[in-house]
Amino acid sequence: MTALLRLYPAGYRREFGDEIAMAYHEATRDARRAARAREALDVTGHALRMRLGLGSAGRRGRLLAAAAPFAVTAVGASAVWWAGLMLPGATASQLPAELTIPYMLLVAAHFVTVLGAATALSGRWSAGAWTMAAGCAATAVIEAMRLGGGVEFVLLLRTPLLLAALAAVLCPADLRPQPRVRTAAGLAAVVLWTALLAGVLTSGPLPDGSFGALRFAVPAAAGLALAGRPAFAGLRTAPAVLLAALPLFVLGTPLWTRDAYTGPLALGLLLVAAAAVSIRRRRGRRPLDGV
């Protein structure tokens, strides 16, 4: 526990360190290893939020919470797209034997990322976000160490994905989306449905190009549907709308660049939505006549 407490800023640790340690020991007393690991991850996430000033009372924390479901959706959709790109190479007969295992591990890491995203959007936010982040980190490590991509190249390629996953991990705990699926059977059904959808999209006969963009568009639409109305209800300001759309635009490059019209049209609709939210918010603040 001492190592976990050192993650907090010194002032916060001096003021609340004893309370945090006591709460941790109470939560992990007679608990299994998985429960202790989950509590340790929660403490780690809370410490990082405190260091970055991302508490739920601050503007940055609220903006991050509004954008987090969309970041998770973008990461999951991007992982499906990358898995579909890598799977043909992993199963190709001409692939050298020394690259077969790294390629298969890379595909597996992308699938772990997808399942983590579905778990988070279903309501098991902490477990899903950390699983998703672990999958993203694993893809970067495999590419850098086993496929010879080079650290600089991998960081350039994977930084947007890692930042989006980190946004989910750092989402303030009391502002996280409410569980959409409340039973273990429902969660298992969502995970199974996600695995089947990802399997069909990655192994199905979709050519690279315009149709290949479906590998991002379809899981993105499914993720937004799973996030549901509460995710969109959290977009109450123009900055929140723009920040929520950022990971979808950055990671959805295969979709927005498939022709000369889709990207500008989507950007125009986004700006209109941000302006509409801003106007509505200003009207809501306007005092009533005669009051």
Side-chain angles (χ1 to χ4, degrees):
M1 184 60 197
T2 303
L4 293 176
L5 286 176
R6 288 176 181 172
L7 297 175
Y8 285 93
Y12 193 93
R13 184 170 62 245
R14 285 193 298 270
E15 187 172 358
F16 300 105
D18 292 340
E19 296 179 18
I20 295 171
M22 185 179 300
Y24 176 81
H25 288 306
E26 287 293 330
T28 57
R29 181 181 299 172
D30 300 326
R32 296 183 179 180
R33 182 176 300 177
R36 291 198 299 270
R38 185 169 59 251
E39 289 295 331
L41 289 176
D42 287 341
V43 172
T44 300
H46 185 250
L48 291 175
R49 289 193 293 275
M50 292 301 100
R51 281 196 175 272
L52 295 174
L54 294 174
S56 59
R59 185 169 183 265
R60 284 182 291 177
R62 294 195 298 270
L63 280 175
L64 182 64
F70 300 90
V72 171
T73 298
V75 170
S78 180
V80 173
W81 187 84
W82 277 104
L85 191 66
M86 295 293 178
L87 189 59
T91 56
S93 58
Q94 65 269 25
L95 186 70
E98 62 272 15
L99 293 180
T100 300
I101 293 180
Y103 261 88
M104 294 303 296
L105 288 175
L106 193 60
V107 173
H110 285 306
F111 270 94
V112 168
T113 302
V114 175
L115 296 179
T119 302
L121 292 174
S122 298
R124 275 65 171 182
W125 188 269
S126 181
W130 281 106
T131 300
M132 185 181 68
C136 292
T139 60
V141 171
I142 294 169
E143 289 173 341
M145 299 184 64
R146 301 297 298 274
L147 296 177
V151 175
E152 295 83 1
F153 174 78
V154 170
L155 286 178
L156 179 64
L157 185 66
R158 293 300 181 189
T159 294
L161 194 70
L162 292 169
L163 288 177
L166 185 62
V169 170
L170 295 178
C171 178
D174 52 344
L175 295 180
R176 292 170 181 171
Q178 295 299 314
R180 300 281 293 167
V181 180
R182 299 183 180 276
T183 64
L187 177 62
V190 170
V191 171
L192 178 60
W193 173 78
T194 302
L196 290 174
L197 178 63
V200 169
L201 290 172
T202 54
S203 60
L206 290 176
D208 293 330
S210 296
F211 290 101
L214 291 175
R215 290 196 176 103
F216 184 90
V218 172
L224 292 176
L226 186 59
R229 184 178 178 181
F232 291 93
L235 304 179
R236 297 189 177 94
T237 64
V241 173
L242 297 175
L243 186 62
L246 182 62
L248 290 168
F249 266 91
V250 173
L251 299 179
T253 302
L255 181 62
W256 312 126
T257 58
R258 67 176 188 167
D259 55 49
Y261 307 104
T262 304
L265 177 60
L267 180 59
L269 292 175
L270 172 63
L271 294 177
V272 169
V277 169
S278 180
I279 293 171
R280 182 179 179 182
R281 182 177 177 84
R282 290 179 182 178
R283 287 181 176 177
R285 289 180 174 179
R286 184 179 300 172
L288 295 176
D289 294 336
V291 177

